[in-house]
């Protein structure tokens, strides 16, 4: 049976959920061979074996922590060479985290393979694995294949269920020799991100999202309370003209869903909810001012008028006795709400 | 010595417009209004700030795209970039990320560079991998997804807010940098900037100029293939609960009904 290389996303040996989902998809195509790198690599083997890994290739070296991305590309390439030398390698699957995507892309260039990013589903096909992508803010679904080389495919969180599928999970040490380019970008220091105690927005199955309807930052706690009771992350639903943030942007404890973006805003909202200085209101004001003045840009450079969509603001005001106007729930995958 | 900065900017269909695919399953870039990818404005902004700090710097904006992609270059020039390079060739239609990165790498080498700056992802393809591929192809350090960046004495430094940690990075020039939307609000072009942009040079290059064969790029040369694209059925309206004393309860019932809780 063909083998499928699965890159493991873990923190000091704790495997992140998207990697387990990836094993479910990998088993549709062949036998999963996992690659775990860095501190705690060997500790990943047990849980990987429970979810279908027949083999776990591991390597640890200071380079993985001290330099950005490239040492891991060297290691994944070593794994690729080891496995493809043994027979048929059907695909290299990588979780769609920011760093893993970069590793996958550089591997693809090196081995002369095409790459598909952010697949939301994967099936075996006559001419290799067929990936489903949700594109243009999930308004289209595409099916695509890699047509040259060993398919390298990155998969978004929540694309498949985590399934128990006990396998051998034999640990094998991977021999890696680092190239001269591997020390190009030095990681001078690293500060672990504070945990909010809630699931990552990008990995969550449920997101509780609130926006203008909560009628002010001081009421945002209703959203957070609901989020906590569901074990879900909270998010801010609002559009912001100048910011389009793709789904897997790293570094956000809480974030916005929908067109625009960002937790740091949420944090400001929490810290400084001075009346009248609500970020939403500020934004509206700026937007209105932008409209009032003459547009000096040449016609070709002017952006089309953007319709203010949704109901008029007045409609949304007015809170009920239980402190709610409305709240929206979205399963990121099915609703395409986080992107 | 002058610091040579090349900023890669992409011309994308307007996300608020009706984005769709053409018959050959490529993005329809003709019938839809396009503009400079919003996330690339941050790249231009950081280039301008780095150039301000340097004694002497020159910013070239580079795009690979159809004729209308000149609009994206003009916008970047009106923000303050010095000159532009436009790679345009009918054979490029349908190129995937491997082909696009090959073309960009050749054009960057031909232009000459100390620092390449890109956005974190385009707003149409949203792959977010092109900067890493560029670094691989150019054989220079990758300093990507920075929310803070500075250049001093031939060294680029920055902060990368990763999935599980925030990292301070450092690399010697030449290097490829990508910046996030957290790096600082991009400026609006001034009237003066817009007028000045009209006189700034825009160099046009085709595949021959870059020594790239037509079969290395385009739909044929693509290493990936799109087999189908299906439009998603229109979203149905959500239900609105009016809170008249029972709002919380109704919401809980809704959640239970949808099996959220
Ligand atoms: C071209 C384009 C594509 C987009 N694609 C997506 C996409 O793929 N996914 C996505 O999530 N967003 C998408 N958006 C953004 C989305 O349409 C809204 O702009 C965004 O969700 C913010 O909503 P709002 O402006 O109504 O928020 P606000 O005005 O901040 O919210 C108003 C209130 O209504 C509530 N509310 C908002 N939506 C709902 C709902 N559906 N049900 C119940 N209550 C609700 C909020 O919780 C809030 O209390 C897109 C926007 C554009 C312009
Ligand atoms: C919906 C969709 C899905 C796609 N999926 C795939 C796929 O899975 N695999 C694949 O190989 N191709 C794919 N493509 C094609 C791919 O988007 C293009 O080849 C593209 O030019 C490179 O990818 P990106 O725009 O996603 O780049 P990103 O990696 O998201 O772009 C990062 C940065 O690179 C720079 N940049 C990107 N393109 C250009 C350009 N043309 N000119 C100048 N600078 C640029 C910009 O600074 C940008 O901010 C897809 C395209 C679309 C529209």
């Amino acid at each position: 049976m063909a083998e499928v290389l699965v890159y493991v996303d873990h923190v000091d040996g704790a495997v992140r959920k998207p990697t387990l989902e990836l094993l479910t998809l990998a088993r549709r195509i062949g036998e999963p061979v996992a690659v775990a790198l860095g501190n705690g690599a060997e500790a990943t083997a047990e849980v990987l074996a429970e979810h279908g890994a027949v083999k776990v290739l591991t390597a640890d070296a200071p380079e993985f922590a001290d330099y950005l991305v490239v040492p891991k590309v060297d290691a994944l390439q070593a794994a690729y060479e080891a496995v493809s030398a043994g027979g048929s390698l059907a695909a290299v699957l990588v979780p769609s985290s920011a760093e893993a995507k970069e590793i996958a892309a550089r591997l693809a260039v090196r081995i002369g393979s095409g790459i598909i990013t952010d697949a939301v589903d994967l099936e075996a096909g006559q001419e290799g694995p067929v990936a489903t992508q949700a594109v243009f803010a999930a308004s289209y679904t595409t099916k695509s294949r890699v047509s040259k080389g060993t398919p390298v495919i990155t998969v978004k969180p929540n694309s498949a269920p985590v399934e128990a599928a006990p396998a051998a999970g034999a640990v094998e040490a991977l021999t890696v020799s680092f190239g001269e380019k591997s020390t190009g970008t030095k990681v001078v220091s690293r500060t672990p991100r504070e945990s909010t105690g809630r699931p990552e927005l990008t990995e969550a199955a449920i997101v509780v999202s609130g926006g203008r309807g909560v009628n002010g930052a001081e009421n945002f706690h209703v959203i957070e309370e609901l989020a906590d009771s569901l074990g879900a992350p909270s998010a801010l639903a609002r559009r912001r003209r100048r910011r389009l943030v793709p789904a897997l942007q790293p570094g956000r404890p809480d974030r916005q869903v929908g067109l625009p973006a960002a937790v740091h805003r949420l944090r400001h909202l929490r810290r400084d909810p001075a009346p009248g200085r609500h970020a939403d209101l500020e934004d509206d004001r700026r937007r209105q001012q932008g409209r009032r003045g003459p547009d000096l840009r040449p016609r070709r450079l002017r952006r089309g008028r953007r319709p203010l969509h949704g109901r008029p603001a007045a409609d949304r005001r007015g809170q009920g006795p239980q402190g709610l106007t409305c709240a929206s729930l979205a399963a990121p995958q099915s609703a395409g709400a986080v992107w | 010595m002058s610091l040579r900065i090349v900023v890669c900017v992409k011309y994308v269909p307007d996300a608020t417009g009706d984005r769709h695919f053409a018959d050959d399953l490529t993005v329809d870039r003709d019938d839809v209004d396009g503009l400079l990818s919003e996330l690339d404005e941050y790249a231009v902004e950081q280039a301008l700030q780095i150039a301000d700090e340097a004694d002497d710097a020159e910013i070239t904006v580079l795009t690979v795209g159809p004729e209308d992609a000149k609009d994206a270059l003009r916008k970047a020039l009106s923000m303050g970039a010095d000159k532009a390079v436009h790679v345009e060739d009918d054979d490029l239609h349908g190129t995937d990320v491997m082909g696009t990165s090959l073309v960009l790498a050749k054009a960057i080498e031909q232009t000459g560079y100390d620092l390449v700056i890109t956005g974190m992802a385009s707003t149409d393809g949203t792959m977010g991998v092109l900067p890493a591929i560029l670094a691989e192809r150019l054989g220079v350090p990758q300093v990507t997804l920075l929310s803070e960046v500075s250049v001093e004495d031939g060294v680029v430094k920055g902060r990368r807010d990763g999935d599980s940690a925030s990292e301070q990075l450092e690399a010697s020039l030449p290097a490829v940098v990508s910046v996030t939307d957290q790096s600082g609000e991009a400026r609006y072009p001034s009237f003066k900037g817009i007028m000045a942009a009209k006189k700034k040079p825009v160099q046009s290059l085709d595949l021959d100029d870059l020594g790239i064969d037509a079969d290395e790029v385009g739909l044929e040369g693509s290493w990936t293939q799109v087999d189908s694209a299906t439009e998603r059925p229109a979203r149905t309206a959500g239900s609105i609960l009016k809170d008249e004393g029972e709002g919380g309860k109704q919401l809980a019932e809704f959640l239970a009904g949808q099996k959220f809780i």
Side-chain angles (χ1 to χ4, degrees):
Chain A
M1 195 177 182
E3 287 163 307
V4 179
L5 215 50
V6 173
Y7 179 82
V8 177
D9 193 2
H10 70 101
V11 182
D12 299 331
V15 179
R16 298 174 84 116
K17 186 166 145 264
T19 301
L20 302 180
E21 298 162 3
L22 212 50
L23 287 170
T24 301
L25 295 175
R27 287 189 295 111
R28 294 183 188 168
I29 296 160
E31 292 192 318
V33 175
V35 185
L37 307 173
N39 185 39
E42 285 184 22
T44 63
E46 196 184 322
V47 65
L48 295 173
E50 281 164 21
H51 295 90
V54 296
K55 222 187 281 181
V56 182
L57 306 176
T58 63
D60 191 13
E63 280 83 353
F64 294 129
D66 293 349
Y67 301 95
L68 192 72
V69 171
V70 191
K72 291 176 180 159
V73 182
D74 290 349
L76 189 56
Q77 188 181 3
Y80 163 83
E81 280 160 7
V83 175
S84 55
S88 56
L89 176 59
V92 181
L93 304 188
V94 176
S96 279
S97 73
E99 182 184 77
K101 259 164 70 165
E102 294 183 329
I103 294 167
R106 295 187 69 140
L107 175 79
V109 186
R110 290 188 185 183
I111 66 176
S113 289
I115 180 170
I116 290 173
T117 54
D118 299 329
V120 296
D121 199 5
L122 207 57
E123 298 150 63
Q126 296 262 300
E127 299 160 279
V130 178
T132 305
Q133 282 168 298
V135 306
F136 294 155
S139 59
Y140 276 86
T141 302
T142 59
K143 295 217 187 258
S144 23
R145 283 177 294 119
V146 168
S147 49
K148 180 170 177 295
T150 305
V152 177
I153 301 172
T154 83
V155 179
K156 277 192 167 189
N158 292 309
S159 296
V162 174
E163 290 171 5
V171 177
E172 263 178 48
L174 181 68
T175 315
V176 186
S177 56
F178 296 110
E180 58 174 302
K181 305 283 185 200
S182 65
T183 55
T185 306
K186 197 167 169 32
V187 179
V188 182
S189 68
R190 175 178 288 118
T191 319
R193 253 183 45 200
E194 254 177 69
S195 171
T196 56
R198 297 184 177 130
E200 287 290 311
L201 185 57
T202 49
E203 294 175 10
I206 300 177
V207 173
V208 181
S209 156
R212 252 177 292 184
V214 299
N215 210 6
E218 61 281 10
N219 297 325
F220 200 75
H221 64 89
V222 301
I223 298 296
E224 304 213 308
E225 283 156 19
L226 180 59
D228 283 337
S229 66
L230 292 170
S234 65
L236 193 58
R238 54 190 299 278
R239 54 183 185 280
R240 206 163 122 63
R241 195 169 71 83
R242 290 176 55 80
R243 297 209 169 155
L244 278 150
V245 172
L248 291 160
Q249 187 180 351
R252 305 284 173 69
D254 289 298
R255 284 186 290 192
Q256 281 189 196
V257 290
L259 235 204
V263 188
H264 72 289
R265 291 203 141 255
L266 254 182
R267 285 194 180 147
H268 286 313
L269 279 173
R270 267 193 237 128
R271 226 180 288 137
D272 180 25
R277 294 202 56 84
H278 189 297
D280 265 333
L281 300 180
E282 285 243 290
D283 221 46
D284 281 351
R285 202 171 305 136
R286 226 180 293 144
R287 199 158 41 216
Q288 281 161 8
Q289 279 164 0
R291 289 250 169 84
R292 219 173 284 140
D295 193 345
L296 295 175
R297 293 170 293 174
R299 178 167 286 282
R300 292 194 311 156
L301 290 180
R302 271 182 224 165
R303 296 225 173 99
R305 259 178 83 95
R306 276 150 208 260
L308 279 168
H309 69 136
R311 285 159 287 127
D315 247 36
R316 305 180 186 158
R317 303 287 139 99
Q319 233 173 288
Q322 293 201 340
L324 298 167
T325 41
C326 53
S328 68
L329 277 171
Q333 209 46 73
S334 54
V338 180
W339 42 276
Chain B
M1 211 189 74
S2 175
L3 179 70
R4 296 164 302 168
I5 306 175
V6 178
V7 186
C8 298
V9 296
K10 190 176 186 184
Y11 177 77
V12 298
D14 190 336
T16 60
D18 167 35
R19 296 188 291 181
H20 57 267
F21 288 90
D23 292 341
D24 64 355
L25 299 180
T26 62
V27 177
D28 190 337
R29 296 183 192 276
D30 294 332
D31 290 343
V32 185
D33 279 348
L35 48 89
L36 168 62
S37 177
E38 311 207 18
L39 290 166
D40 292 349
E41 292 181 18
Y42 297 96
V44 176
E45 176 63 36
Q46 288 311 308
L48 292 168
Q49 292 189 19
I50 289 167
D52 270 351
E53 293 294 315
D55 293 338
D56 183 18
E58 184 181 56
I59 302 174
T60 307
V61 284
L62 166 64
T63 197
V64 173
E67 193 186 341
D68 287 346
K70 282 208 169 52
D71 283 1
L73 294 175
R74 283 283 166 222
K75 168 96 190 255
L77 290 172
S78 63
M79 286 172 73
D82 300 300
K83 62 191 179 73
V85 175
H86 183 183
V87 184
E88 189 195 348
D89 198 309
D90 287 345
D91 288 330
L92 278 168
H93 176 80
T95 305
D96 67 357
V97 74
M98 288 302 168
T100 306
S101 59
L102 176 73
V103 174
L104 284 170
K106 291 264 168 144
I108 288 165
E109 276 168 343
Q110 192 157 321
T111 303
Y113 71 102
D114 300 299
L115 180 63
V116 177
I117 307 183
T118 75
M120 62 185 292
S122 69
T123 55
D124 58 349
T126 69
M127 296 183 73
V129 297
L130 196 127
I133 299 179
L134 266 187
E136 179 71 34
R137 289 199 184 276
L138 294 168
V140 302
Q142 164 194 338
V143 199
T144 46
L145 296 172
L146 302 184
S147 36
E148 239 173 55
V149 59
S150 65
V151 174
E152 213 174 317
D153 301 328
V155 174
V156 54
K157 294 184 187 178
R159 192 184 79 235
R160 171 179 167 111
D161 291 326
D163 300 315
S164 58
S166 176
E167 297 164 323
Q168 287 293 334
L169 304 179
E170 207 173 288
S172 302
L173 297 183
V176 173
V177 161
S178 76
V179 298
T180 72
D181 65 320
Q182 304 301 297
S183 58
E185 199 70 48
R187 70 194 66 185
Y188 281 105
S190 64
F191 183 66
K192 214 173 121 205
I194 291 163
M195 297 314 287
K198 295 189 169 146
K199 299 197 193 74
K200 290 177 178 172
V202 179
Q203 184 189 10
S204 285
L205 298 175
D206 62 16
L207 288 173
D208 275 349
D209 296 323
L210 296 173
I212 296 173
D213 281 341
D215 56 15
E216 291 179 77
V217 294
L219 270 178
E220 292 297 309
S222 194
W223 296 1
T224 49
Q225 185 171 333
V226 180
D227 289 334
S228 70
T230 323
E231 193 167 1
R232 185 185 133 117
R235 270 203 229 187
T236 48
S239 45
I240 296 173
L241 302 177
K242 208 150 186 227
D243 184 7
E244 287 162 333
E246 296 282 297
K249 231 175 119 191
Q250 285 175 314
L251 181 59
E253 276 161 16
F254 172 81
L255 294 177
Q258 302 290 315
K259 298 204 168 24
F260 276 112
I261 50 176

